[in-house]
Amino acid sequence: MKRTHNCNELRPEHIGQTAILCGWVHSRRDLGGVIFIDVRDREGRTQTVFDPSDLTSDVFAQASGLRGESVVRVTGRVRARPEGTRNPKIPTGEVEVLARELEVLNLAEPLPFQIDEPEAAARVNEEMRLQYRYLDLRRPEMARNLRLRHKVATAARVYFDEQGFLEVETPLLFKSTPEGAREFIVPNRREPGTFYALPQSPQQFKQILMVAGVERYYQLARCFRDEDQRADRQLEFTQIDVEMSFVERADIYAMVEGLLKRLWKVALDLEIATPFPQISFAEAMDRFGIDKPDTRFGMELCDLTAEFRGSTFKVFSGAVASGGVVKALNAKGLADATQGQIETMTGIAKSFGAKGLAFIKVEGGEWKSPIVKFFTDANKAALQRLLAIEEGDLILFAADSWLNACEILGKIRLYAADVLKSTGRLSLPPDRFDFLWVIDFPLLSFDKENNRWYSSHHPFTAPVPEDLPLLRTDPRKVRGQHYDCVVNGVELGGGSIRIHRPEIQKTVFEDILQIPSDVARARFGYLLEAFQYGAPPHGGIALGFDRLLAILCGTPSIRDVIAFPKTAKGTCLMTQSPAAVDPKQLRELRLELKVPPKE
RNA sequence: GGGGGUGUAGCUCAAUCGGUUAGAGCGCUGCCCUGUCACGGCAGAGGUUACGGGUUCGAGCCCCGCCACUCCCGCCA
């Protein structure tokens, strides 16, 4: 037998038994006469004792020559630790294994970085951790993340099974659909010059599955997007992909709320409140300046357009005169913002095309600002009332088009919150989760540069039924049946009720998005055709599984919840991918490089 | 594509204004140690300061370039 117990199993009731433990040498304490070796496996650790009076000299010599993280098999008798030497820090601390035999299964070289001391190990450069990922994953935090990921995935599958969903796998070798994210393409050896593409999401397949009568589909689906990366974005990632037939928006909300309630219970033993509040896109922008608001703190945006319509301060009145708005937010307690912080905020405003950023510092009982001299007493009273101004506050203004003003202040709101957090003046409880649905997004947005409409979400999103007549007359006003699920300012996922009638889908492709009909047919013909043979009304959602895990694990980076993530440049430091391929492989594919081949 | 940050011993970091032989903790090697659990003690080895140029009497430090990692903007239907 290779082993009889794991390293988190032995208790006083095992005393007297012979145990065989296998695992890694977590730490070795050589006292000269006696050697203690903590053997660790994924369940925990157990102290083994090597006492020369009970051992052959070569076993003792072997034990004294072990290095940390070597893999061993220890056979011995379980016994109670002597009085006063018990270790209450570990569950097996009441007992120890008096070793009789030691088998060194793999002697480890000195490690490139230490993993036995959690605080030191957590600070190791990520480059090093990624190169030696197998060592990094031995750390308890990372092992916990892997285990939690498994637990959450399993809980999701159980939930979907209970709800009558089928998990259906969809192809990874798909075809290019140039709308949306840049794709990874895969050359087809059988017909040189043609290519597969890896899916950005299984969107079209899951809709086809609805036409196929599956009714309730889900998949923990791997997706690929060849875009630049972030802490919360990888080239390949996993989404909980769902589609349902014969549903309206409320059915999707209830299904997702039930799922998240289950997952939060399983992962964190927390009861989250459902149903989630719903907020329209317009209200989210108006109050928080962003379509994924973090509602755990206030500092909401305030509209002052009416107050400054006739102001002698031309920057404000001018903005109103040209159809814009004046908005402000109160960054509570930030009157002591440094020059650099003010410059950062001004930079945010300028990045949206504003000329500058007006602000008021409330210090020493007075409003310090170059623009206060333009304010009437009525202006000041309105500010005081609407923004609840107190000593130590910092008031920031944006006078611009509605969307721009909202976005500027939305960014500044988050920046101000970060500053307040880093100085300990704003703290958010780690077990607080503000879920909400953002709804009523505009179906379409207008691209000024290319003078055309494009889908805010994707071209399969159904319009809100009562807005359907506006599609040809006033596209800007058409709301989509699209919804985003947001928690603590993070977009967890989004979806929509889809178009299931071929003539409406055709109108969106050809008349609204201006995709020529032959192109639309080449790209989406099979979908339009499928819709002609009995397509049920349907809708769905996709939740970012990695982001969800990052939130549950309390880490800012999804790399911490992915076993083998890629770097910001898309490389794998452990396997050194991507790499050059053999010229023979290129010849087979009829591909020729225009850059010198890399070694 | 653009902007910011980082890069010094195996790891984590220090090195005053540009000035002597680049230091510390951990790890590693050797010796001592029979109840430790981050064991302890003594001794020792270990450096192309990411890389390539430049300025200077003198560069880890300043300048130019470049590489890697990272955060952000663009991008992510």
Side-chain angles (χ1 to χ4, degrees):
Chain A
M1 198 188 302
K2 224 25 175 179
R3 63 172 160 189
T4 58
H5 300 80
N6 70 51
C7 293
N8 196 25
E9 206 173 340
L10 297 176
R11 297 291 185 275
E13 72 241 37
H14 297 98
I15 288 166
Q17 297 181 12
T18 292
I20 306 174
L21 300 178
C22 287
W24 286 261
V25 174
H26 184 73
S27 73
R28 190 172 57 91
R29 297 176 293 281
D30 185 344
L31 275 63
V34 64
I35 301 171
F36 297 99
I37 290 176
D38 285 356
V39 181
R40 185 199 71 234
D41 63 18
R42 67 174 222 195
E43 305 303 331
R45 57 191 228 234
T46 301
Q47 172 167 282
T48 62
V49 193
F50 290 77
D51 187 330
S53 59
D54 290 337
L55 287 172
T56 60
S57 60
D58 57 314
V59 170
F60 191 77
Q62 244 187 333
S64 69
L66 281 174
R67 268 188 299 258
E69 295 303 313
S70 296
V71 180
V72 294
R73 177 170 183 260
V74 180
T75 307
R77 192 171 52 80
V78 184
R79 70 177 188 192
R81 292 199 191 190
E83 201 60 49
T85 65
R86 296 189 180 131
N87 185 353
K89 285 189 249 173
I90 55 173
T92 59
E94 293 281 305
V95 297
E96 61 191 8
V97 172
L98 180 65
R100 188 170 67 232
E101 291 169 39
L102 168 66
E103 195 180 338
V104 180
L105 301 169
N106 186 286
L107 181 65
E109 291 297 314
L111 264 44
F113 58 93
Q114 286 165 253
I115 61 173
D116 54 345
E117 218 274 291
E119 281 149 42
R123 286 207 313 273
V124 171
N125 196 317
E126 194 167 9
E127 206 172 339
M128 192 65 55
R129 293 173 48 204
L130 290 174
Q131 186 181 347
Y132 300 96
R133 191 61 163 178
Y134 42 87
L135 297 180
D136 191 38
L137 292 175
R138 286 183 204 166
R139 297 168 45 222
E141 291 89 335
M142 295 302 288
R144 183 202 66 139
N145 292 357
L146 283 186
R147 207 178 265 233
L148 192 66
R149 186 175 178 121
H150 162 78
K151 222 171 137 185
V152 170
T154 302
R157 288 195 161 101
V158 168
Y159 175 84
F160 284 121
D161 183 58
E162 288 167 6
Q163 304 277 321
F165 285 80
L166 303 188
E167 179 162 26
V168 181
E169 289 151 284
T170 53
L172 291 185
L173 293 174
F174 182 38
K175 72 166 186 175
S176 179
T177 51
E179 273 81 23
R182 188 181 300 114
E183 299 165 310
F184 287 95
I185 60 169
V186 180
N188 172 25
R189 176 179 60 82
R190 287 163 190 81
E191 193 182 333
T194 63
F195 298 85
Y196 301 99
L198 304 182
Q200 310 166 37
S201 85
Q203 182 62 36
Q204 287 152 67
F205 284 106
K206 70 175 175 177
Q207 291 193 240
I208 294 281
L209 284 172
M210 293 304 102
V211 183
V214 168
E215 296 197 23
R216 293 186 157 215
Y217 146 93
Y218 85 99
Q219 182 180 194
L220 295 188
R222 193 63 70 87
C223 306
F224 304 85
R225 293 182 190 170
D226 185 9
E227 298 291 352
D228 286 348
Q229 321 219 54
R230 292 286 189 280
D232 62 351
R233 272 164 36 190
Q234 284 270 308
L235 298 181
E236 50 181 311
F237 61 99
T238 305
Q239 63 186 32
I240 304 179
D241 195 46
V242 187
E243 198 75 9
M244 303 166 80
S245 292
F246 309 116
V247 290
E248 48 195 21
R249 282 176 281 181
D251 299 304
I252 306 281
Y253 303 158
M255 182 275 297
V256 171
E257 285 160 0
L259 172 68
L260 295 176
K261 196 187 241 319
R262 174 78 59 89
L263 300 185
W264 254 250
K265 178 66 183 168
V266 165
L268 302 177
D269 197 26
L270 277 180
E271 299 290 346
I272 58 173
T274 53
F276 302 158
Q278 295 174 19
I279 182 173
S280 72
F281 167 79
E283 185 183 345
M285 292 306 296
D286 210 48
R287 289 172 54 194
F288 301 100
I290 192 165
D291 62 357
K292 45 179 180 180
D294 189 343
T295 56
R296 290 173 299 170
F297 57 93
M299 301 202 295
E300 292 190 21
L301 280 48
C302 181
D303 190 284
L304 300 164
T305 308
E307 279 69 25
F308 288 105
R309 188 175 303 280
S311 175
T312 54
F313 186 44
K314 294 295 177 215
V315 175
F316 284 5
S317 53
V320 179
S322 54
V325 298
V326 178
K327 294 182 79 88
L329 78 84
N330 183 348
K332 275 283 174 206
L334 255 193
D336 62 351
T338 63
Q339 189 65 35
Q341 288 162 347
I342 296 283
E343 272 169 28
T344 299
M345 290 188 269
T346 306
I348 292 169
K350 285 183 174 168
S351 74
F352 282 89
K355 291 203 175 61
L357 178 68
F359 61 89
I360 303 173
K361 286 183 170 182
V362 184
E363 279 179 317
E366 80 180 286
W367 291 11
K368 294 181 181 166
S369 167
I371 61 168
V372 146
K373 59 176 182 271
F374 297 107
F375 291 0
T376 63
D377 287 346
N379 289 155
K380 289 181 193 169
L383 282 172
Q384 178 66 51
R385 177 168 45 83
L386 293 168
L387 290 161
I389 296 172
E390 294 174 308
E391 173 70 16
D393 288 352
L394 174 69
I395 314 300
L396 299 137
F397 295 88
D400 211 317
S401 68
W402 172 77
L403 191 62
N404 245 8
C406 291
E407 284 190 297
I408 290 168
L409 291 181
K411 285 259 163 50
I412 287 175
R413 175 175 176 270
L414 291 178
Y415 175 76
D418 280 342
V419 173
L420 290 170
K421 273 185 240 172
S422 67
T423 52
R425 284 179 283 178
L426 175 65
S427 71
L428 304 170
D431 60 349
R432 177 163 176 188
F433 297 96
D434 280 18
F435 289 91
L436 53 95
W437 291 105
V438 181
I439 59 172
D440 287 341
F441 284 85
L443 183 71
L444 301 159
S445 308
F446 193 73
D447 179 359
K448 282 185 200 132
E449 274 177 37
N450 296 305
N451 194 38
R452 65 180 197 91
W453 293 96
Y454 63 95
S455 300
S456 301
H457 181 47
H458 60 50
F460 315 111
T461 301
V464 169
E466 59 263 36
D467 293 353
L468 208 49
L470 296 169
L471 207 49
R472 287 172 192 281
T473 55
D474 194 356
R476 194 182 307 270
K477 289 226 174 85
V478 178
R479 290 166 299 166
Q481 294 200 56
H482 167 52
Y483 31 82
D484 273 357
C485 181
V486 173
V487 57
N488 294 355
V490 176
E491 183 193 331
L492 243 193
S496 60
I497 299 299
R498 327 294 184 189
I499 297 168
H500 72 284
R501 284 172 35 205
E503 70 278 8
I504 297 179
Q505 186 67 73
K506 211 161 176 289
T507 301
V508 169
F509 282 148
E510 295 177 15
D511 301 342
I512 309 297
L513 301 178
Q514 302 281 306
I515 302 172
S517 88
D518 56 327
V519 176
R521 207 176 312 121
R523 278 181 206 165
F524 305 112
Y526 63 96
L527 189 67
L528 294 170
E529 192 180 14
F531 285 173
Q532 291 173 340
Y533 297 118
H538 60 284
I541 193 165
L543 302 171
F545 189 57
D546 310 285
R547 282 185 193 176
L548 190 141
L549 260 299
I551 290 162
L552 290 173
C553 292
T555 171
S557 167
I558 63 170
R559 290 189 297 271
D560 287 340
V561 299
I562 296 173
F564 301 103
K566 302 214 169 11
T567 68
K569 287 239 173 77
T571 65
C572 172
L573 296 176
M574 188 178 73
T575 62
Q576 295 290 299
S577 76
V581 297
D582 195 285
K584 181 168 170 269
Q585 293 173 282
L586 291 176
R587 280 198 301 275
E588 253 180 0
L589 297 165
R590 307 281 200 280
L591 291 178
E592 231 172 85
L593 296 182
K594 295 257 181 171
V595 291
K598 287 221 164 134
E599 281 310 311

